[in-house]
Amino acid sequence: MASTIAEIPREVLETFARSDEYHNSFLLRPDEGLEYASEHIKENGLMHHMSVPASQGEFLKLVVLAIGAKRVLEVGTLGGYSTIWIGQGLPEDGELITLEISEVNAKVARENLAKAGIRNARVLVGNANETLAGLPTEEPFDLIFVDADKQSYPNYFLEAKRLVRKHGVIIIDNVVQKGRVADGSFARPPAIGVYPNDSTVDGVRTLLKLLKEDKEVEATTIATANEKGYDGFLYAIKL
Ligand SMILES: C[S@@+](CC[C@H](N)C(=O)[O-])C[C@H]1O[C@@H](n2cnc3c(N)ncnc32)[C@H](O)[C@@H]1O
């Protein structure tokens, strides 16, 4: 049985993209560093479609500015596109740590960050599950942005909650996935018979179950419709 929710007609996707582009044309300023990064990510064969859309990058920067963040942690760097947006919101003495499993991606990200003039960012290479476990709680983060392998989301959330300050913000990307997360035909692994099996969906579902029981955070899902289709991110505050 194929999922019906996941299949968004092309005309609808085009409407999302057109609308996003229209709004961006009024709200986003051209930025050489970000434009260079997008191209450099493509030239190096990285999966550029995995970078956040520009409107979401601006949102991350706005959150950094709104909460006066000085220490930010990102899980999932790719080529550093979202890292640049976050870095642009940070003050001179701010600190940004971004975690990436791939040495190749990290190299491209470091080049992009240097070109964009983001000097206070460090890319730490390794499996984020292990890197996070080694980060101390003594210097908590103001904002943590999670955008890596979805099956690790439950652990990334628990680590983020441990490492973020009281009333700090945790943003977790791709929690809607074109509606697949809420689509019962995507079964928990191991899937059987005709049912599709998707561990990225399962990671988000487990995260949502954790949040339902968690009295230490307040959270909501912000759905997004843009050039990348229909998705959403989770916005949480540690109480
Ligand atoms: C969606 S991309 C990140 C996009 C980036 N935040 C942006 O918007 O520009 C996810 C990244 O997470 C990395 N990743 C996947 N599993 C990981 C893991 N276990 N530890 C650290 N990084 C991981 C991937 O290599 C990939 O570069």
Side-chain angles (χ1 to χ4, degrees):
M1 182 172 73
S3 164
T4 48
I5 298 176
E7 287 152 16
I8 299 171
R10 193 164 48 82
E11 310 84 76
V12 176
L13 289 172
E14 282 167 6
T15 308
F16 291 166
R18 196 166 48 243
S19 179
D20 196 32
E21 211 176 296
Y22 180 79
H23 284 261
N24 289 349
S25 72
F26 292 95
L27 303 175
L28 303 189
R29 300 187 183 97
D31 182 281
E32 269 181 36
L34 287 163
E35 279 156 27
Y36 175 86
S38 289
E39 283 312 308
H40 198 50
I41 286 168
K42 283 184 208 157
E43 280 160 18
N44 280 274
L46 271 53
M47 293 203 260
H48 64 94
H49 63 275
M50 292 196 338
S51 302
V52 293
S55 48
Q56 200 177 328
E58 176 68 45
F59 178 77
L60 290 169
K61 179 177 165 183
L62 288 171
V63 173
V64 172
L65 291 168
I67 67 169
K70 284 189 96 172
R71 295 197 83 230
V72 180
L73 175 66
E74 176 180 63
V75 184
T77 317
L78 191 68
Y81 183 76
S82 53
T83 326
I84 295 174
W85 279 106
I86 294 167
Q88 287 182 346
L90 279 174
E92 288 270 303
D93 61 345
E95 194 184 358
L96 171 51
I97 297 175
T98 180
L99 312 184
E100 173 55 52
I101 201 165
S102 154
E103 192 68 69
V104 174
N105 293 357
K107 178 176 175 290
V108 174
R110 289 187 184 111
E111 289 162 359
N112 284 336
L113 288 161
K115 189 84 176 174
I118 307 294
R119 278 172 251 292
N120 44 9
R122 271 189 295 149
V123 186
L124 305 186
V125 179
N127 184 331
N129 288 288
E130 288 158 26
T131 315
L132 284 166
L135 293 178
T137 47
E138 283 73 34
E139 284 186 282
F141 294 92
D142 302 300
L143 166 67
I144 300 182
F145 174 50
V146 177
D147 187 21
D149 54 315
K150 315 307 169 208
Q151 60 271 33
S152 300
Y153 270 16
N155 184 49
Y156 292 156
F157 165 70
L158 293 173
E159 286 290 2
K161 207 175 78 166
R162 179 178 72 82
L163 293 165
V164 79
R165 69 162 160 84
K166 184 177 161 71
H167 295 161
V169 176
I170 302 170
I171 297 177
I172 305 183
D173 205 9
N174 310 119
V175 297
V176 174
Q177 299 175 24
K178 298 177 186 156
R180 287 187 303 162
V181 169
D183 179 352
S185 64
F186 278 82
R188 275 183 74 92
I192 43 163
V194 294
Y195 290 98
N197 172 349
D198 191 324
S199 64
T200 70
V201 164
D202 194 52
V204 177
R205 288 182 183 163
T206 308
L207 167 69
L208 289 170
K209 281 186 200 137
L210 277 179
L211 281 158
K212 188 168 185 181
E213 304 302 324
D214 198 321
K215 304 282 180 283
E216 293 169 351
V217 293
E218 181 104 13
T220 191
T221 293
I222 315 278
T224 55
N226 51 43
E227 64 187 60
K228 293 178 69 177
Y230 166 44
D231 206 331
F233 57 87
L234 194 111
Y235 187 101
I237 305 275
K238 178 164 147 182
L239 299 174

